[in-house]
Amino acid sequence: MEESMFQRLKVAVSRLEEIDKELLDENTMKDLKHFREISKERANLEPQVETFNLYNKYSSEFVEAQEMANESDPELSEMGKEEAKRLTKEMERLEEELREMLLPKDPNDDKNIIVEIRGAAGGDEANIFAGDLFRMYTRYAESQGWKIQMMDQYPSEAGGFSQVSFMIKGKMVYSKLKFESGAHRVQRVPKTEASGRIHTSTATVLVMPEAEEIDVEINPNDLQVDTYHSQGAGGQNVNKTESAVRITHIPTGIVVACQTEKSQIQNREIAMQMLRAKMYSTMLEKQQEEIGNERRLKIGTGERSEKIRTYNYPQNRVTDHRIGFTIQQLDRVMEGELEQIIEALIHYDQSMKIAGEN
């Protein structure tokens, strides 16, 4: 193991001991934000320290195995060599695990997410595709044991949605779906196309980590709140009371709306969740720009050229253009079998981080 890596792990051991002492201090509980921060830090450090301790245990056993390998007794010597060989493989495996653990962690990885999907370029077909993407993500969420909560939706007369927003709740949701933001392009023959000609349309996906009140401070005086009648597909009124809520954050111009619930209070609460998430996402983007990181995944304008992924129906092919990954299983992907694509994106991101560390 490299000396620099060894020293970083020793620091992790010391830091974990410090946090455990701090968590025993009753004053720590009085500062909820700090308590949450060090609890998260501890959750990140604990597997590192446990793996490092196991590595050190194997390292001590390796020294003993080498001593046995140098014994004059042929049988003992052979046993020592075999044990040393086994321990070497185990230490190499643990070292690789530790290298990945030491990569910079995204503090939002364990958060729930709010997803916003919009039909973009392509008219009715774009809205239909937005509906297909919504179904794809909900199927994937179900396969992971996650829960879906609808937040807002504007159904399209032709099918699908001009816009749909929903929350996905579960373990490490953001870590898996954070790379989905961007313009998704579909190539297929629309149901409305009589000549059988292939069309290209796009829908945009925006994935935002859920933000709590302690993550984003919002001054109530900066909000303009409007209420209106909920609308269904085609614009017909589905609620005779003004239960739908639209909130505008005046300083930033961010607008959110919710009409999924019958209660104005519930719709306002959901709209505030969406507003916090959008403001938090904007804040994260600015932080990334300030430290010079290129934001690889962005929503853009939804133009056909600004694509992160193409879904080609005639060839049953899905291609993620950011990493050059192609899979000939579009039918399965649209049923929510996203794991291969997601794992490829995570692996690419980790390899880029490792390359940056070296």
Side-chain angles (χ1 to χ4, degrees):
M1 181 183 292
E2 304 97 323
E3 182 63 24
S4 59
M5 184 175 171
F6 187 79
Q7 291 302 323
R8 286 178 66 186
L9 288 164
K10 283 183 67 177
V11 170
V13 172
S14 299
R15 178 57 184 154
L16 184 63
E17 291 173 355
E18 289 175 7
I19 291 174
D20 283 342
K21 288 178 183 177
E22 198 171 346
L23 288 171
L24 292 172
D25 188 340
E26 60 182 21
N27 292 322
T28 302
M29 286 293 293
K30 295 176 182 178
D31 186 343
L32 184 59
K33 186 174 182 180
H34 179 63
F35 174 77
R36 197 179 73 161
E37 286 174 352
I38 63 172
S39 295
K40 279 189 174 182
E41 186 182 357
R42 190 191 188 286
N44 181 45
L45 287 172
E46 188 175 28
Q48 293 180 19
V49 172
E50 287 180 352
T51 306
F52 183 49
N53 288 339
L54 184 57
Y55 178 91
N56 287 332
K57 176 177 175 290
Y58 286 163
S59 181
S60 297
E61 291 175 0
F62 177 76
V63 173
E64 294 173 3
Q66 281 188 315
E67 291 175 356
M68 188 185 293
N70 292 326
E71 290 285 343
S72 56
D73 186 317
E75 189 173 340
L76 282 176
S77 178
E78 186 61 31
M79 286 175 60
K81 289 175 182 177
E82 286 297 317
E83 183 65 1
K85 187 177 179 181
R86 184 188 70 82
L87 290 166
T88 298
K89 287 183 179 179
E90 287 296 316
M91 289 165 66
E92 287 174 352
R93 178 182 62 80
L94 292 177
E95 190 171 340
E96 189 59 35
E97 286 182 16
L98 286 165
R99 187 171 284 107
E100 288 187 9
M101 287 180 182
L102 288 173
L103 290 174
K105 290 289 188 300
D106 188 330
N108 296 305
D109 274 352
D110 62 345
K111 289 191 174 184
N112 299 326
I113 62 172
I114 292 175
V115 184
E116 182 180 278
I117 304 174
R118 294 173 179 262
D124 287 342
E125 173 64 8
N127 293 339
I128 293 170
F129 181 50
D132 293 337
L133 290 176
F134 168 73
R135 182 175 180 273
M136 178 184 78
Y137 289 125
T138 53
R139 285 291 182 93
Y140 177 70
E142 288 167 2
S143 73
Q144 300 296 304
W146 299 336
K147 293 182 179 178
I148 303 290
Q149 177 190 342
M150 293 301 299
M151 304 194 81
D152 200 22
Q153 56 181 305
Y154 295 87
S156 169
E157 285 187 351
F161 303 93
S162 59
Q163 179 184 333
V164 59
S165 301
F166 55 101
M167 178 179 281
I168 303 180
K169 301 177 179 180
K171 186 177 180 181
M172 303 298 287
V173 179
Y174 186 71
S175 70
K176 291 237 176 176
L177 292 177
K178 62 183 174 182
F179 300 118
E180 294 302 301
S181 290
H184 296 239
R185 181 175 73 168
V186 63
Q187 294 175 326
R188 66 185 176 189
V189 179
K191 294 176 183 177
T192 54
E193 176 60 50
S195 65
R197 187 165 57 91
I198 295 174
H199 284 230
T200 299
S201 306
T202 60
T204 59
V205 176
L206 179 60
V207 175
M208 300 168 284
E210 182 186 16
E212 298 178 22
E213 290 185 29
I214 57 176
D215 295 320
V216 180
E217 291 184 12
I218 299 176
N219 186 339
N221 296 324
D222 290 337
L223 302 179
Q224 177 183 318
V225 182
D226 301 304
T227 58
Y228 57 97
H229 295 295
S230 298
Q231 300 288 311
Q236 74 268 25
N237 286 330
V238 295
N239 193 332
K240 293 181 180 179
T241 62
E242 291 192 346
S243 61
V245 175
R246 181 186 301 109
I247 301 177
T248 303
H249 185 250
I250 298 169
T252 61
I254 295 174
V255 180
V256 294
C258 182
Q259 59 176 348
T260 56
E261 304 297 329
K262 292 181 180 179
S263 161
Q264 187 184 115
I265 294 174
Q266 288 176 307
N267 282 330
R268 179 176 176 133
E269 186 179 326
I270 292 171
M272 285 300 295
Q273 280 184 301
M274 295 167 70
L275 178 61
R276 282 195 295 270
K278 287 201 172 187
M279 290 182 67
Y280 187 54
S281 186
T282 301
M283 182 180 73
L284 292 175
E285 184 179 347
K286 286 181 180 177
Q287 287 176 352
Q288 289 173 342
E289 289 173 356
E290 285 172 7
I291 61 176
N293 287 342
E294 180 186 353
R295 187 171 184 238
R296 293 192 301 274
L297 309 175
K298 59 181 180 180
I299 189 165
T301 61
E303 291 298 322
R304 292 178 179 88
S305 59
E306 294 185 2
K307 60 186 182 295
I308 64 165
R309 190 177 299 154
T310 294
Y311 303 74
N312 186 297
Y313 274 72
Q315 297 178 26
N316 197 38
R317 184 184 70 227
V318 181
T319 299
D320 195 291
H321 303 285
R322 295 163 295 180
I323 59 175
F325 180 83
T326 297
I327 184 172
Q328 301 286 152
Q329 297 177 6
L330 180 143
D331 52 340
R332 295 184 183 178
V333 169
M334 299 311 293
E335 288 298 318
E337 294 186 24
L338 285 166
E339 202 62 32
Q340 286 192 57
I341 298 174
I342 288 170
E343 288 298 327
L345 286 162
I346 292 173
H347 178 74
Y348 177 82
D349 182 61
Q350 287 180 341
S351 64
M352 290 296 99
K353 286 177 179 175
I354 290 171
E357 289 279 299
N358 295 332

